[in-house]
Amino acid sequence: MQNNSRTHRFFQIQSLQIHSLFRNCIVILAGLTIATIFAFLLPENTVPQNAANIALIYILALIIIARYTDGYLPGLISSVIAVVCFNFLFTYPYFELNFTLSGYPVTFLEMLGVTLLTSTMTTGMKQQARMIAEKDKLLSETEKEKMRANLLRAISHDLRTPLTGIIGASSSYLDNSNVLSEEEKGAIVTHIHEDANWLLNMVENLLSVTRIHNQSSTVKKTDESVEEIVSAAMMRLKKRLPEASVSVSVPEEPLILPMDAILIEQVLINLLENAIVHSQSSRPILCYVDDDAACVTFHVKDNGIGIDPERLKNIFDGNSYIGNSDSDSNKGMGIGLSICKTIITAHNGTINARNHEQGAEFYFSLPKEE
């Protein structure tokens, strides 16, 4: 297996080298050919046919060749060819090589010097560009690994806690079914039902992440109606939390956005469930949409206890959140918010959270155009 990998890598490098050599040859041939044709076509009354003017045309061609080729060798080769063409085609006697002309070594050295300087600068710029690209790739991979680690930490808390509750409640029911009253049995079954629904929500979140491409961290977008997305999210939320009270407001004019509809619905559901579960308020949750020239912003606003200011700094990092009450200890919102950020980032959008005078607000923006 290792030998096969090395062989594949060897042939890959050879292929890249051949491709680079072929491209360099094409650029040299095209650049010098165009410069020669251009020198021939220039009318004499515009640019007198003398050594200085023709040399400038070839120097310009050499600069362009150095810019679009790799390494120093293409520049050196093109310099020699340019000098030969200049001598053979544009110095007297025409169509003959004569390297004894006065000033000819100076012309050759000028062309060679310009080409070497340009090749050195462009090679250095390309190396810097490659280093920057590699650094950006490394930072991106580091961010992905950090996100995976945060998700694993959140999963370990948010999935283990309801599982423990289900096991404990079902064990109590089985061991004490003969002595439990119907009311107590109903409470245990209700508890199991709630924790099972919470687990289902977590699984849906994890499945949402798998819809995002691992390599590019992007999503396949289609034009979707904002009103329909909000409506679909509300329908799914009502099935899960029938008693939830949410006030919805969207612009009257139809809004069409490029997005993955299922993922954005999941984000809205996560934010709405967090507001319902953690706000500790019986007042309706407000879900509304703002429209501006560049993007559309979705808001989920509650009238509850708000969020600890220290928690706001890293609320989307995937760490499980232990709220301000015992009810919150069962269901942290770490994994849900972390996945929300992953989905919105994959849409080239932004997501934030803030406190207001009467509670907390989560909002995310999606760009109107790619």
Side-chain angles (χ1 to χ4, degrees):
M1 180 67 72
Q2 188 174 7
N3 290 334
N4 290 337
S5 177
R6 290 178 179 177
T7 303
H8 176 73
R9 179 63 177 169
F10 172 77
F11 283 111
Q12 189 177 34
I13 293 174
Q14 292 295 318
S15 176
L16 290 174
Q17 290 176 345
I18 294 173
H19 174 75
S20 177
L21 177 62
F22 181 75
R23 184 168 61 84
N24 288 344
C25 292
I26 294 297
V27 172
I28 292 172
L29 180 62
L32 294 178
T33 300
I34 293 173
T36 303
I37 294 174
F38 184 71
F40 269 119
L41 295 179
L42 284 177
E44 293 185 2
N45 59 354
T46 303
V47 180
Q49 298 294 312
N50 56 54
N53 292 319
I54 299 300
L56 288 175
I57 294 174
Y58 275 106
I59 287 175
L60 178 60
L62 294 176
I63 292 174
I64 295 174
I65 290 171
R67 169 64 181 84
Y68 291 100
T69 54
D70 299 324
Y72 304 99
L73 186 59
L76 294 176
I77 294 175
S78 58
S79 295
V80 174
I81 297 175
V83 171
V84 172
C85 291
F86 173 74
N87 181 277
F88 186 77
L89 299 174
F90 300 103
T91 59
Y92 185 83
Y94 299 113
F95 304 106
E96 292 183 13
L97 293 175
N98 184 2
F99 295 102
T100 62
L101 294 172
S102 176
Y104 188 79
V106 176
T107 302
F108 175 77
L109 291 176
E110 287 178 350
M111 288 186 175
L112 186 62
V114 168
T115 306
L116 285 175
L117 180 61
T118 306
S119 298
T120 301
M121 293 176 62
T122 55
T123 301
M125 291 172 61
K126 291 174 183 176
Q127 290 177 347
Q128 290 181 356
R130 282 194 294 267
M131 292 175 62
I132 292 173
E134 291 175 358
K135 184 178 179 180
D136 290 342
K137 183 179 179 181
L138 181 61
L139 290 175
S140 177
E141 291 297 326
T142 302
E143 186 66 23
K144 288 181 181 179
E145 289 299 324
K146 181 180 178 181
M147 182 189 70
R148 292 190 187 101
N150 288 337
L151 286 176
L152 286 175
R153 284 200 301 269
I155 291 171
S156 66
H157 176 275
D158 287 351
L159 296 187
R160 185 173 61 242
T161 300
L163 278 174
T164 302
I166 290 174
I167 294 172
S170 59
S171 297
S172 297
Y173 188 93
L174 293 173
D175 295 339
N176 304 290
S177 59
N178 295 330
V179 297
L180 292 174
S181 66
E182 291 300 324
E183 183 179 350
E184 290 172 332
K185 289 180 180 180
I188 291 176
V189 173
T190 300
H191 178 71
I192 293 174
H193 178 74
E194 291 175 351
D195 281 343
N197 275 332
W198 183 256
L199 284 175
L200 177 61
N201 183 34
M202 291 298 100
V203 172
E204 288 179 353
N205 276 312
L206 295 175
L207 291 176
S208 296
V209 173
T210 63
R211 292 174 57 86
I212 300 176
H213 301 302
N214 292 328
Q215 298 299 323
S216 60
S217 293
T218 58
V219 292
K220 184 178 180 180
K221 304 177 187 177
T222 57
D223 289 339
E224 303 286 349
S225 167
V226 170
E227 184 178 2
E228 291 181 2
I229 296 299
V230 175
S231 176
M234 290 303 305
M235 290 177 62
R236 290 175 58 189
L237 179 70
K238 284 294 185 180
K239 289 181 180 179
R240 187 172 298 163
L241 299 173
E243 303 301 324
S245 178
V246 182
S247 175
V248 180
S249 175
V250 297
E252 294 183 0
E253 296 183 359
L255 289 177
I256 304 298
L257 276 181
M259 67 174 82
D260 185 309
I262 295 178
L263 293 181
I264 298 303
E265 285 178 23
Q266 189 63 44
V267 171
L268 281 172
I269 292 171
N270 284 351
L271 297 182
L272 288 166
E273 283 193 351
N274 282 335
I276 294 168
V277 172
H278 297 284
S279 65
Q280 299 184 26
S281 173
S282 59
R283 299 173 63 183
I285 305 298
L286 178 60
C287 176
Y288 64 98
V289 178
D290 282 339
D291 177 30
D292 60 34
C295 62
V296 173
T297 304
F298 298 74
H299 301 260
V300 174
K301 190 174 184 180
D302 65 54
N303 295 281
I305 60 174
I307 303 171
D308 185 350
E310 291 297 321
R311 175 61 178 159
L312 280 173
K313 298 177 182 178
N314 57 355
I315 196 167
F316 296 102
D317 65 0
N319 292 326
S320 295
Y321 171 68
I322 303 302
N324 298 319
S325 73
D326 294 338
S327 63
D328 285 337
S329 63
N330 289 345
K331 303 176 178 64
M333 57 183 173
I335 185 173
L337 292 180
S338 178
I339 290 173
C340 287
K341 181 180 180 181
T342 301
I343 292 172
I344 299 304
T345 301
H347 281 77
N348 297 321
T350 58
I351 184 169
N352 294 283
R354 62 190 175 194
N355 286 320
H356 59 91
E357 293 182 357
Q358 298 179 343
E361 178 181 5
F362 288 85
Y363 57 98
F364 63 91
S365 299
L366 299 178
K368 287 187 174 180
E369 298 180 357
E370 295 294 343

XYZ file of all heavy atoms in Angstrom, residues 19 30 35 60 75 125 137 142 151 155 165 179 184 224 236 241 254 258 265 303 307 339 355 357 362 364:
206
model
N 3.460 19.172 -17.260
C 2.468 20.221 -17.532
C 3.102 21.605 -17.433
O 2.852 22.481 -18.283
C 1.314 20.098 -16.541
C 0.314 21.197 -16.637
N -0.608 21.273 -17.657
C 0.096 22.297 -15.853
C -1.358 22.351 -17.501
N -0.954 22.990 -16.415
N 4.487 31.893 -27.670
C 3.438 32.877 -27.950
C 3.938 34.297 -27.714
O 3.691 35.198 -28.534
C 2.219 32.588 -27.079
N 5.464 39.443 -30.115
C 6.368 40.596 -30.117
C 6.991 40.796 -31.490
O 7.109 41.936 -31.983
C 7.462 40.394 -29.064
N 9.469 44.205 -23.268
C 8.106 44.078 -22.754
C 7.624 42.633 -22.841
O 7.007 42.099 -21.904
C 7.169 44.998 -23.528
C 5.684 44.943 -23.140
C 5.497 45.320 -21.675
C 4.857 45.841 -24.041
N 12.940 32.444 -18.483
C 13.368 33.811 -18.748
C 14.704 33.866 -19.452
O 14.902 34.658 -20.380
N 7.215 36.389 -5.709
C 5.798 36.658 -5.462
C 4.985 35.369 -5.493
O 4.084 35.165 -4.674
C 5.276 37.639 -6.509
C 5.842 39.044 -6.384
S 5.385 40.115 -7.769
C 3.605 40.104 -7.634
N -4.826 27.433 4.221
C -5.343 26.061 4.251
C -5.134 25.439 5.624
O -6.018 24.756 6.161
C -4.654 25.223 3.182
C -5.177 23.798 3.087
C -4.474 23.039 1.985
C -4.985 21.603 1.913
N -4.297 20.833 0.842
N -7.239 23.771 10.823
C -7.224 23.925 12.278
C -8.608 24.291 12.797
O -9.071 23.773 13.816
C -6.208 24.994 12.690
O -4.911 24.633 12.200
C -6.145 25.136 14.204
N -17.776 19.880 18.747
C -18.976 19.087 18.521
C -18.938 17.796 19.329
O -19.939 17.369 19.901
C -19.129 18.773 17.036
C -19.586 19.934 16.146
C -19.600 19.498 14.689
C -20.958 20.429 16.556
N -21.623 16.740 22.001
C -22.363 15.489 21.845
C -22.255 14.645 23.105
O -23.233 14.046 23.561
C -21.841 14.709 20.625
C -22.227 15.445 19.337
C -22.401 13.296 20.592
C -21.566 14.878 18.107
N -31.279 9.794 31.503
C -32.629 10.004 32.004
C -33.605 8.948 31.512
O -34.451 8.452 32.272
N -46.258 -0.728 42.069
C -46.577 0.171 43.180
C -46.806 1.604 42.719
O -47.238 2.445 43.524
C -45.439 0.145 44.227
C -45.309 -1.248 44.830
C -44.122 0.589 43.614
N -48.125 8.753 38.424
C -46.663 8.620 38.437
C -46.162 7.925 37.180
O -45.124 8.305 36.605
C -46.234 7.843 39.678
C -46.432 8.611 40.982
C -46.175 7.749 42.200
O -46.374 6.502 42.107
O -45.776 8.298 43.246
N -34.765 29.886 -2.904
C -35.887 29.485 -2.053
C -36.631 30.718 -1.552
O -36.048 31.798 -1.381
C -35.387 28.667 -0.853
C -34.596 27.426 -1.209
C -35.462 26.305 -1.750
O -36.710 26.433 -1.649
O -34.910 25.322 -2.261
N -42.744 22.368 11.539
C -41.953 21.324 12.201
C -41.843 21.587 13.699
O -41.869 20.661 14.515
C -40.566 21.235 11.571
C -40.555 20.674 10.147
C -39.180 20.719 9.538
N -38.215 19.975 10.327
C -36.897 19.998 10.103
N -36.401 20.747 9.113
N -36.076 19.300 10.860
N -43.191 20.825 19.484
C -43.595 21.561 20.686
C -44.963 22.199 20.423
O -45.056 23.398 20.097
C -42.556 22.635 21.027
C -41.136 22.142 21.329
C -40.185 23.319 21.486
C -41.119 21.276 22.583
N -42.320 39.284 -1.693
C -41.636 37.980 -1.720
C -40.121 38.140 -1.723
O -39.571 38.988 -2.433
C -42.136 37.351 -3.032
C -43.390 38.086 -3.361
C -43.225 39.475 -2.838
N -30.653 32.383 -2.239
C -29.943 31.123 -2.496
C -29.560 30.455 -1.178
O -28.860 31.046 -0.361
C -28.703 31.566 -3.288
C -28.467 32.976 -2.863
C -29.821 33.556 -2.564
N -33.927 25.707 7.641
C -35.041 25.337 8.512
C -34.523 24.799 9.843
O -35.051 25.135 10.915
C -35.906 24.274 7.831
C -36.786 24.790 6.716
C -37.572 23.667 6.063
O -37.772 22.625 6.738
O -37.970 23.810 4.899
N -38.413 37.041 25.435
C -38.618 37.991 26.535
C -38.382 37.265 27.855
O -39.272 37.158 28.694
C -40.031 38.570 26.489
C -40.282 39.404 25.254
O -39.873 40.558 25.177
N -40.935 38.810 24.263
N -28.948 36.052 28.460
C -27.781 35.173 28.439
C -26.664 35.812 29.252
O -26.456 37.034 29.196
C -27.298 34.934 26.982
C -28.436 34.359 26.145
C -26.095 34.005 26.942
C -28.130 34.287 24.662
N -23.785 23.856 15.532
C -24.216 23.416 14.207
C -24.860 24.571 13.442
O -24.686 24.701 12.227
C -25.165 22.219 14.332
C -24.369 20.996 14.802
C -25.876 21.911 13.025
C -25.202 19.792 15.128
N -28.025 40.361 24.088
C -29.082 40.600 25.055
C -29.771 41.925 24.733
O -29.152 42.855 24.222
C -28.517 40.651 26.476
C -28.129 39.271 26.987
O -28.834 38.299 26.755
N -27.001 39.183 27.679
N -33.188 44.549 26.425
C -33.703 44.964 27.733
C -34.574 43.897 28.383
O -34.633 43.797 29.610
C -34.498 46.266 27.590
C -33.639 47.458 27.214
C -34.453 48.730 27.119
O -35.695 48.646 27.293
O -33.861 49.799 26.876
N -31.192 36.029 19.004
C -30.268 35.398 18.061
C -30.674 35.836 16.662
O -31.871 35.908 16.348
C -30.340 33.874 18.164
C -29.728 33.318 19.415
C -30.467 33.246 20.592
C -28.421 32.877 19.438
C -29.923 32.744 21.750
C -27.852 32.372 20.586
C -28.595 32.304 21.750
N -29.265 35.776 12.312
C -28.274 35.400 11.298
C -28.645 36.033 9.966
O -29.829 36.243 9.671
C -28.160 33.873 11.171
C -29.404 33.178 10.707
C -29.641 32.937 9.349
C -30.356 32.716 11.629
C -30.783 32.277 8.935
C -31.496 32.054 11.206
C -31.715 31.833 9.848
